[in-house]
C-alpha cells in the first residue's frame, strides 16, 4: 500500500494540528510545522505529495515560500490558505500556477473541515483520475530539439485525443475538441505545452498543423458522417502568416468530406499574431469558406477584448481558470457572467471549459452559457473511446 504524505505550514499550531488530524483520518502520513526554516528541512526529508501553505507567516510569507518551491521544481500539490479574502487567495493561486506549481485548491480561514477534507481527498488521488496521458516520467527534463520534432513528424508520432462538448441546457453532445499529443517512443505521452512552442520556434508548426488536421478530419468523417456534431481544432497564431492557409484547410476538409461548417478553429495567443492585417484577412477568409472561429482562453490576455471586436469570431471560450474557481470565488463568478453577457450581446456562442463538478455546470446553465467541457463531462480520450462515449450519451438522454 502506498502511503501518501502531507506537509503543513501554518504559524497557528491549532490550525496545523487540525489539518494533520483530518489528513491522518484519510490515511495520510501528516506533519505540521510553524516556521519556514523547519518547513524546508522537513520538505527535503519527507518528499510530501501535498503541501498546505498559510499565506500570512511571520518570516517568509506564503508567496515567497511558493516561489522557492518553484525554484526547487516541487511536484507536490499545493493547498493555499488565508484569512485575507478571496481576491488575495485568487491572486496567490494565479501566482503559484504561473510559477509552474500544481495547485490542488485554495481555502479561506476559518478553515471548514468539509472543504479541507474535499481538497485533501482530491489531492490524495495525485491526478490518478486524470488519464495517464498527462504523466511523462521525464517531463521536467525533456526539451525537444528541432530534430526531435522533425523525426516525430516523419514517424507520425503525433496523435489526437478528443474531449466532448455538451449543450448546457440539454446535456446533448454538441461536438468534440481535438487535442494533440506526442506519443513518444521512449517517454510515453508528451503534452502540447512541451512541444508546441518548440514547433513554433523552429518553423514546424505548419507541418504539424497539416498532419493533425488530416488525421482529425479523417477520423471525424468516418466516425460521424451523418451528424450535426462539430469538431474544434486548434490553430497557432504563428500560422496566420500564409494567406493560403484558408484554402489549404478547406481543401483538407473537402478531401475528407467534412463540410467546413462543421469545423471550429480555436485560436489562442491572439496577441502573438505576427501580422495583424494579414491575420484579419486570413480569418475573414476562414469565415467566408464556412469555418467557425473561436477565441480560446478568453479573459486571460491583455489583447483579448480588442481582438474580440476586431476579428470575426463566432464563439468565445471562458478560460478554465475562472470556471474551476466559480464555486469559491465571487470575483470569478462575476467575470464568467460578464463574458457570457458580452458574448451573447455580440451574437457569439459561449463555451466554458474546465467544468469539474455538477454545481459548476448548473451554475453555467443558470447564466445561459451555451456549451461546456471539462473533466466532469469527459476527459480527453482516444478516437474509439470518444465514439463510444458519444453513443452512450445519446442513449442516456431522454428523447
Amino acid at each position: 500500500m502506498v502511503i501518501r504524505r502531507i506537509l503543513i505550514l501554518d504559524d497557528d499550531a491549532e490550525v496545523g494540528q487540525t489539518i494533520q488530524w483530518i489528513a491522518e483520518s484519510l490515511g495520510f502520513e501528516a506533519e505540521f510545522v510553524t516556521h519556514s526554516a523547519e518547513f524546508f528541512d522537513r520538505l527535503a526529508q519527507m518528499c510530501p505529495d501535498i503541501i498546505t501553505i498559510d499565506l500570512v507567516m511571520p518570516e517568509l510569507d506564503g508567496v515567497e515560500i511558493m516561489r522557492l518551491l518553484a525554484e526547487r521544481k516541487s511536484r507536490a500539490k499545493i493547498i493555499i490558505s488565508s484569512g485575507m479574502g478571496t481576491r488575495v487567495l485568487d491572486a496567490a493561486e494565479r501566482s503559484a500556477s504561473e510559477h509552474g506549481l500544481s495547485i490542488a485548491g485554495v481555502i479561506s480561514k476559518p478553515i471548514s473541515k468539509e472543504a479541507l477534507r474535499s481538497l485533501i481527498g482530491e489531492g490524495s488521488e495525485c491526478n490518478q483520475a486524470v488519464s495517464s496521458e498527462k504523466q511523462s516520467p521525464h517531463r521536467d527534463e525533456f526539451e525537444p530539439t528541432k530534430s526531435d520534432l522533425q523525426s516525430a513528424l516523419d514517424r507520425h508520432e503525433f496523435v489526437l485525443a478528443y474531449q466532448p462538448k455538451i449543450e448546457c441546457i440539454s446535456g446533448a453532445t454538441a461536438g468534440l475538441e481535438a487535442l494533440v499529443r506526442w506519443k513518444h517512443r521512449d517517454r510515453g505521452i508528451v503534452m502540447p505545452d512541451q512541444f508546441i512552442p518548440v514547433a513554433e520556434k523552429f518553423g514546424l508548426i505548419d507541418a504539424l498543423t497539416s498532419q493533425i488536421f488530416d488525421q482529425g478530419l479523417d477520423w471525424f468523417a468516418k466516425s460521424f458522417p451523418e451528424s450535426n456534431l462539430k469538431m474544434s481544432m486548434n490553430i497557432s497564431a504563428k500560422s496566420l502568416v500564409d494567406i493560403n492557409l484558408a484554402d489549404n484547410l478547406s481543401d483538407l476538409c473537402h478531401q475528407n468530406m467534412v463540410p467546413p461548417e462543421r469545423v471550429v478553429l480555436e485560436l489562442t495567443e491572439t496577441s502573438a499574431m505576427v501580422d495583424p492585417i494579414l491575420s484579419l484577412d486570413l480569418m475573414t477568409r476562414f469565415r467566408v469558406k464556412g469555418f467557425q472561429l473561436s477565441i480560446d482562453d478568453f479573459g486571460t490576455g491583455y489583447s483579448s477584448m480588442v481582438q474580440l471586436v476586431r476579428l470575426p469570431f463566432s464563439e468565445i471560450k471562458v478560460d478554465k481558470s475562472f470556471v474551476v474557481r466559480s464555486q469559491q470565488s465571487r470575483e470569478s463568478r462575476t467575470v464568467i457572467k460578464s463574458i457570457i453577457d458580452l458574448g451573447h450581446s455580440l451574437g457569439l456562442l459561449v463555451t466554458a471549459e474546465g467544468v469539474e463538478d455538477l454545481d459548476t455546470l448548473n451554475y453555467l446553465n443558470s447564466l445561459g452559457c451555451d456549451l461546456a467541457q471539462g473533466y466532469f463531462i469527459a476527459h480527453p480520450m482516444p478516437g474509439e473511446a470518444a465514439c463510444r462515449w458519444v453513443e452512450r450519451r445519446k442513449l442516456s438522454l431522454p428523447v
Side-chain angles (χ1 to χ4, degrees):
M1 178 180 176
V2 177
I3 300 297
R4 314 302 297 175
R5 298 181 176 88
I6 182 168
L7 180 59
I8 303 141
L9 174 61
D10 200 301
D11 65 335
D12 187 327
E14 290 187 6
V15 173
Q17 184 70 71
T18 299
I19 297 174
Q20 180 178 357
W21 287 337
I22 294 172
E24 288 175 343
S25 73
L26 292 170
F28 279 83
E29 177 183 311
E31 292 187 26
F32 80 89
V33 295
T34 56
H35 297 282
S36 55
E38 186 180 3
F39 169 80
F40 283 106
D41 285 343
R42 295 305 302 144
L43 179 70
Q45 299 171 30
M46 189 180 181
C47 297
D49 303 286
I50 299 179
I51 297 169
T52 73
I53 299 173
D54 182 13
L55 284 182
V56 181
M57 296 290 296
E59 301 155 339
L60 295 177
D61 62 51
V63 175
E64 182 67 5
I65 293 287
M66 289 188 290
R67 188 184 67 79
L68 293 172
L69 286 172
E71 289 180 358
R72 298 177 184 216
K73 300 188 182 299
S74 172
R75 296 186 179 184
K77 303 285 284 186
I78 308 294
I79 296 174
I80 304 169
S81 67
S82 175
M84 296 190 68
T86 58
R87 290 188 65 84
V88 175
L89 280 168
D90 287 350
E93 182 180 21
R94 286 192 295 273
S95 174
S97 295
E98 290 175 13
H99 275 295
L101 295 173
S102 179
I103 306 300
V106 298
I107 189 166
S108 297
K109 289 185 175 182
I111 290 176
S112 158
K113 292 183 180 180
E114 291 73 19
L116 181 61
R117 187 176 287 111
S118 174
L119 285 180
I120 294 176
E122 292 172 3
S124 69
E125 297 297 327
C126 201
N127 280 344
Q128 292 176 11
V130 180
S131 73
S132 59
E133 67 167 19
K134 297 189 75 173
Q135 306 301 321
S136 175
H138 304 285
R139 180 175 176 85
D140 290 338
E141 297 82 3
F142 185 41
E143 296 181 3
T145 64
K146 180 179 181 180
S147 177
D148 291 333
L149 288 182
Q150 186 61 64
S151 296
L153 284 166
D154 294 341
R155 292 192 294 262
H156 290 267
E157 291 181 350
F158 294 102
V159 298
L160 289 169
Y162 302 91
Q163 185 173 34
K165 295 181 181 180
I166 65 168
E167 297 175 357
C168 289
I169 192 168
S170 69
T173 306
L176 305 103
E177 181 177 0
L179 300 162
V180 65
R181 310 290 188 246
W182 181 358
K183 196 173 183 180
H184 196 283
R185 292 186 299 174
D186 300 321
R187 299 174 181 273
I189 296 296
V190 180
M191 300 302 282
D193 62 329
Q194 290 189 271
F195 61 83
I196 293 294
V198 182
E200 292 175 335
K201 176 181 178 181
F202 291 116
L204 296 175
I205 192 64
D206 290 343
L208 175 58
T209 297
S210 177
Q211 192 171 107
I212 62 175
F213 261 75
D214 200 27
Q215 180 186 152
L217 291 169
D218 178 68
W219 172 82
F220 191 56
K222 292 175 180 176
S223 301
F224 307 104
E226 303 293 334
S227 170
N228 292 322
L229 296 181
K230 290 183 169 61
M231 183 166 70
S232 300
M233 304 192 76
N234 292 278
I235 292 282
S236 167
K238 300 293 187 182
S239 294
L240 301 181
V241 294
D242 180 5
I243 194 65
N244 295 315
L245 181 60
D247 297 300
N248 297 339
L249 295 186
S250 180
D251 288 343
L252 281 175
C253 282
H254 291 304
Q255 290 167 20
N256 288 280
M257 294 182 291
V258 175
E261 290 78 8
R262 293 183 61 197
V263 177
V264 182
L265 304 178
E266 294 195 4
L267 186 69
T268 58
E269 298 292 340
T270 52
S271 60
M273 293 176 179
V274 177
D275 185 333
I277 297 176
L278 178 58
S279 298
L280 175 59
D281 291 345
L282 182 53
M283 293 176 71
T284 303
R285 295 195 71 214
F286 279 138
R287 293 303 308 277
V288 169
K289 291 180 178 297
F291 292 102
Q292 302 299 302
L293 287 177
S294 175
I295 182 168
D296 200 3
D297 299 338
F298 187 78
T300 60
Y302 295 111
S303 65
S304 292
M305 185 69 73
V306 173
Q307 302 292 18
L308 181 63
V309 174
R310 179 174 178 271
L311 300 171
F313 290 105
S314 55
E315 177 185 277
I316 184 172
K317 291 190 78 173
V318 185
D319 184 68
K320 63 184 178 183
S321 64
F322 301 116
V323 178
V324 297
R325 294 282 296 125
S326 63
Q327 300 306 296
Q328 296 82 36
S329 167
R330 179 177 60 83
E331 289 80 6
S332 291
R333 291 193 295 274
T334 300
V335 170
I336 292 169
K337 184 178 186 305
S338 298
I339 293 174
I340 293 173
D341 290 344
L342 174 63
H344 287 165
S345 71
L346 295 173
L348 308 180
L349 280 176
V350 181
T351 297
E353 55 185 352
V355 178
E356 297 188 352
D357 55 63
L358 180 59
D359 288 342
T360 299
L361 181 59
N362 288 337
Y363 174 68
L364 292 167
N365 187 31
S366 74
L367 296 179
C369 187
D370 301 296
L371 305 176
Q373 68 185 107
Y375 290 160
F376 175 72
I377 297 160
H379 289 257
M381 62 191 86
E384 290 184 5
C387 290
R388 292 194 297 270
W389 188 95
V390 170
E391 188 60 30
R392 287 196 303 269
R393 186 81 179 184
K394 187 188 304 181
L395 296 174
S396 67
L397 293 174
V399 179

